[in-house]
Amino acid sequence: MQTLLRKRPTEILKDINMTQTAPILIAGAGPAGLVLALALRQNGVPVRIIDKEPKHHLGARAAGIMPRTLEFYDFLGVLPDIMKASTQPPMFCAYKLPGGTEIEETYPMFLSNEPALDRPYLNPRILSQDINQAVLRSHLAKYDTLVELGTALRDFEDKGDHVVASVVKKGPDGAERSESYVASYLVGADGARGVVRNRLGMAFDGEAYEGLNMVFSDVRIAGLGGEYWHKWGEMSDRMVTLRQTEEGDRFWVLGGGRQMDTANLRGEPESMTQWIADVTGRRDIKVTEVLTFASYKLSRLAVDSEFSKGRVYLAGDAAHIHSPAGGQGMNNGISDAFSLAWRLSLAYKSLASTELMSSYSAERAPIIKTMLQRTTALLENSSISWGKFALKMGPKDKLPLFQLDLHYRWSPVIVDGMREKAPPNAGPNGNMNQGGIVLAGDRAPDAPGLVDLTGNDSSMKTLFRYFKPTHHTALLFTSSTGSLDAFVSALKQVPGGVVRSTVVLPGTASVRPDTQAEVDWRSRADCALKDCEGHAYDVYCVGARGGDVAVIVRPDGYIGAIVKDGEGVAKYFRKIVAA
Ligand SMILES: Cc1cc2nc3c(=O)[nH]c(=O)nc-3n(C[C@H](O)[C@H](O)[C@H](O)COP(=O)(O)OP(=O)(O)OC[C@H]3O[C@@H](n4cnc5c(N)ncnc54)[C@H](O)[C@@H]3O)c2cc1C
Ligand SMILES: *[C@@H]1O[C@H](CO)[C@@H](O)[C@H](O)[C@H]1NC(C)=O
Ligand SMILES: *[C@@H]1O[C@H](CO)[C@@H](O)[C@H](O)[C@H]1NC(C)=O
């Protein structure tokens, strides 16, 4: 094994057995499945992604993209397209009842924030889920990977070193064709009613929010202005909200409430028009077409503490479902997918330790529990009007809904050589990585004002430009060649491609990108950056740590290790990489 590990992943692939090189099968092409597929393809891992629906899913559904998700999209390279397609969150407009035409109050969903140096995206974006998914698919297509529609996972068997899946494809004539498919791993990103969780025999624990009947629908309405997210009533009683989507006359209906009777409501124009009129008093709102319709009781559900079994993993709604209050469901699923992708990619290349693979559940399950508590508190608090969730939740640039505060400080695969500086109570519910000292397990913050000495582009860069889902980025904060060489030589023991060494020189270091420096930093590491304005040294608290620090940023943008020497580097990678 030792000799195997010295080789590049592509060389390793030639040595290992066929079943290991079989693609990873992803069941479900919702946001979780698509993000996972894209990140795996960027890692050079073959993927087959299937969806049982004959057409791509239509509908606005989860439209709020939170700041942490925007950061993941940045690392995946899809952010520019997402920003172009999306808008800023609209203002809510609440109407007086009865009557329904007089404005009672208007309010923003989120107060707008100036970006911070370490948090470049501090404003959520709004984008209908079907468009979001189309953007993700267009990027996946660049890797020659298309979603296979009309293709359902029926069953599977975990054979220990591979998975055999039973897949059923519906032809255009409606005839079904079954196939046995050999995959190296299977991921159930197959949503709330997924078969994968079911077949694994994992209980979905939780409960319905008693008495909360909800209606979600995409409709066409003629003649209603789109400036606002229109709202009548409250969930404690009866509520209808209408948000205009990207497509002019198409509106997203989210309605429901404890006093709402939806038993006779049907997904057709007359019934919907009547229902909206009953709740809002507005006879002028005419539904001309119903594109999607769903009516059900809200629940919160999650698998207990394991998101995987053997070679089979769960991500997104397949593992946990949330109420729409606070808009966290899809964002959590994307976060699962991003967290799983680098692990599966290393596993596929036979480089992942057992501990790394089990840490997926260890990290995600407590986060999801916390998230469900947060969103339940929002949903059940009758003093918070629908849409005012963010306004009621404290500092506007540190909102828990942004998911920027989540950290994995307690994770079994984190190494903190400076643990004594950790504040007490840094468990899964512990808060924030802003304000306090940044610790291993935290979200790796951004920093602007860096010049890349390795390239010939002298424009200022941000650290985020160097974070990618394909490799660890070891930020080596030092200006001592001895210390740098010790870090780099420890990093060279790590199999090829897993980590990039990046020396970050202080702004005072005597190097300039355009001249021959006294020390050629560029030949000593994969990449050399100069922290011209000192922001990187500042936000990573290098001074407080006494300098010469290695901060190892994982491919998912969280800090895997903060260590002082080569032994610390080795200790971290012993946890991550298979022995
Ligand atoms: C009607 C509705 C309204 C919603 N409204 C909101 C909202 O207002 N705000 C909010 O934040 N969230 C909302 N959500 C939740 C949000 O849409 C989900 O959290 C999000 O889509 C989860 O992403 P996912 O990728 O995990 O699963 P999904 O998006 O559910 O994707 C799962 C995919 O798997 C496919 N699939 C299922 N079984 C199989 C199989 N056996 N084989 C192959 N493919 C399979 C499905 O066709 C589907 O495309 C809503 C959900 C629904 C259903
Ligand atoms: C409900 O929300 C208000 C406003 O944010 C808050 O002060 C209160 O503590 C919450 N109540 C409960 C029961 O969570
Ligand atoms: C540097 O410049 C040359 C030509 O001027 C170009 O071909 C090369 O790609 C550039 N390298 C980088 C790393 O930008």
Side-chain angles (χ1 to χ4, degrees):
M1 204 58 191
Q2 217 42 39
T3 54
L4 204 77
L5 288 185
R6 294 243 158 68
K7 297 179 180 176
R8 302 239 141 222
T10 44
E11 290 169 352
I12 289 168
L13 291 187
K14 287 191 197 120
D15 292 346
I16 53 188
N17 66 46
M18 258 308 291
T19 46
Q20 175 66 31
T21 63
I24 292 178
L25 178 63
I26 301 173
L34 289 167
V35 164
L36 176 65
L38 182 58
L40 286 171
R41 292 299 296 122
Q42 293 183 346
N43 274 283
V45 175
V47 157
R48 182 177 182 195
I49 178 167
I50 60 175
D51 201 288
K52 68 171 190 210
E53 293 300 323
K55 284 190 182 144
H56 291 304
H57 137 259
L58 176 78
R61 287 192 193 179
I65 309 178
M66 293 299 159
R68 187 54 171 157
T69 303
L70 294 173
E71 295 185 348
F72 295 148
Y73 279 176
D74 186 6
F75 305 150
L76 285 163
V78 304
L79 188 63
D81 288 345
I82 292 287
M83 293 304 279
K84 234 181 283 164
S86 62
T87 62
Q88 59 186 33
M91 297 279 285
F92 266 93
C93 179
Y95 296 90
K96 278 189 185 151
L97 290 177
T101 48
E102 204 181 322
I103 294 175
E104 184 174 352
E105 118 185 88
T106 62
Y107 52 88
M109 292 174 79
F110 298 95
L111 296 169
S112 87
N113 288 301
E114 282 301 314
L117 294 178
D118 61 334
R119 288 160 294 157
Y121 315 115
L122 272 177
N123 296 299
R125 300 290 290 179
I126 297 289
L127 180 64
S128 291
Q129 191 178 320
D130 46 7
I131 301 178
N132 191 340
Q133 291 180 201
V135 171
L136 292 170
R137 284 197 305 272
S138 74
H139 282 261
L140 198 49
K142 293 183 194 164
Y143 297 87
D144 297 320
T145 305
L146 302 178
V147 174
E148 280 177 59
L149 292 170
T151 310
L153 177 81
R154 281 287 158 78
D155 208 348
F156 59 86
E157 213 179 316
D158 188 338
K159 301 282 196 184
D161 63 351
H162 64 282
V163 178
V164 179
S166 152
V167 170
V168 175
K169 216 179 179 98
K170 235 192 188 117
D173 54 352
E176 291 191 340
R177 202 163 44 77
S178 294
E179 117 187 62
S180 243
Y181 185 76
V182 173
S184 52
Y185 296 89
L186 169 67
V187 181
D190 49 350
R193 295 202 188 91
V195 305
V196 177
R197 179 191 65 244
N198 214 302
R199 290 280 188 281
L200 286 177
M202 289 184 176
F204 223 5
D205 290 329
E207 57 199 358
Y209 294 103
E210 222 21 75
L212 269 188
N213 296 311
M214 296 291 292
V215 174
F216 304 96
S217 180
D218 294 83
V219 300
R220 287 192 199 283
I221 294 173
L224 181 64
E227 201 182 325
Y228 292 113
W229 190 325
H230 309 276
K231 171 177 164 288
W232 296 264
E234 283 298 345
M235 286 287 281
S236 52
D237 179 34
R238 303 193 301 167
M239 178 185 83
V240 162
T241 74
L242 299 173
R243 177 180 74 79
Q244 188 180 40
T245 68
E246 296 75 2
E247 209 184 303
D249 62 344
R250 206 174 113 187
F251 283 77
W252 169 236
V253 184
L254 185 156
R258 296 190 187 277
Q259 306 303 324
M260 182 83 86
D261 183 6
T262 53
N264 295 319
L265 179 60
R266 279 158 298 124
E268 46 94 2
E270 225 170 286
S271 178
M272 287 292 282
T273 301
Q274 186 57 47
W275 174 75
I276 290 173
D278 285 350
V279 179
T280 67
R282 292 281 292 263
R283 314 254 145 222
D284 59 322
I285 299 176
K286 296 251 182 302
V287 174
T288 57
E289 191 185 352
V290 179
L291 301 158
T292 73
F293 176 81
S295 171
Y296 52 84
K297 264 195 183 31
L298 282 185
S299 319
R300 60 177 143 151
L301 292 165
V303 297
D304 183 28
S305 57
E306 294 303 325
F307 285 19
S308 71
K309 205 179 218 174
R311 292 191 160 244
V312 183
Y313 292 79
L314 296 175
D317 275 23
H320 43 82
I321 49 179
H322 308 249
S323 90
Q328 301 293 296
M330 176 187 72
N331 292 279
N332 281 319
I334 289 172
S335 202
D336 286 350
F338 208 63
S339 166
L340 182 56
W342 70 279
R343 291 177 160 92
L344 271 184
S345 165
L346 288 180
Y348 178 82
K349 294 165 186 171
S350 297
L351 293 174
S353 68
T354 314
E355 198 176 12
L356 176 63
M357 298 318 287
S358 63
S359 69
Y360 172 58
S361 298
E363 291 188 0
R364 294 303 300 162
I367 292 283
I368 294 302
K369 279 211 178 84
T370 306
M371 216 26 114
L372 282 167
Q373 284 160 6
R374 283 179 182 177
T375 51
T376 297
L378 289 178
L379 182 74
E380 295 192 331
N381 189 334
S382 56
S383 80
I384 305 181
S385 272
W386 191 268
K388 274 193 186 165
F389 304 121
L391 304 186
K392 296 280 188 179
M393 282 187 87
K396 64 178 180 133
D397 63 337
K398 288 180 189 151
L399 266 188
L401 298 178
F402 289 178
Q403 305 204 353
L404 294 169
D405 62 332
L406 297 181
H407 64 75
Y408 302 121
R409 287 176 187 170
W410 75 94
S411 165
V413 293
I414 292 297
V415 171
D416 200 327
M418 320 189 77
R419 198 58 147 179
E420 71 279 5
K421 288 205 179 6
N425 191 26
N429 299 315
N431 217 352
M432 45 140 249
N433 58 18
Q434 281 83 38
I437 188 166
V438 71
L439 294 170
D442 287 353
R443 161 189 169 276
D446 196 10
L450 296 145
V451 165
D452 193 333
L453 308 176
T454 348
N456 44 11
D457 168 7
S458 62
S459 68
M460 292 289 188
K461 302 282 195 307
T462 66
L463 269 187
F464 270 16
R465 296 278 60 75
Y466 297 86
F467 297 168
K468 290 277 177 301
T470 46
H471 51 77
H472 284 77
T473 306
L475 302 173
L476 311 172
F477 291 97
T478 183
S479 53
S480 134
T481 50
S483 170
L484 174 62
D485 292 349
F487 284 138
V488 170
S489 90
L491 289 168
K492 284 205 171 121
Q493 304 304 309
V494 180
V498 170
V499 57
R500 270 176 69 84
S501 55
T502 300
V503 58
V504 186
L505 299 163
T508 52
S510 61
V511 279
R512 273 187 303 161
D514 51 349
T515 63
Q516 200 55 41
E518 300 108 82
V519 180
D520 189 1
W521 297 98
R522 292 167 294 187
S523 63
R524 290 184 127 89
D526 295 329
C527 175
L529 303 176
K530 183 169 161 168
D531 186 24
C532 298
E533 292 161 11
H535 298 305
Y537 270 71
D538 212 31
V539 73
Y540 284 90
C541 311
V542 178
R545 292 188 156 95
D548 299 333
V549 176
V551 176
I552 302 175
V553 179
R554 310 193 311 194
D556 62 357
Y558 287 87
I559 299 172
I562 302 184
V563 293
K564 292 288 281 178
D565 52 27
E567 179 40 41
V569 169
K571 185 176 171 197
Y572 170 70
F573 283 104
R574 275 198 299 273
K575 283 179 180 284
I576 300 297
V577 177

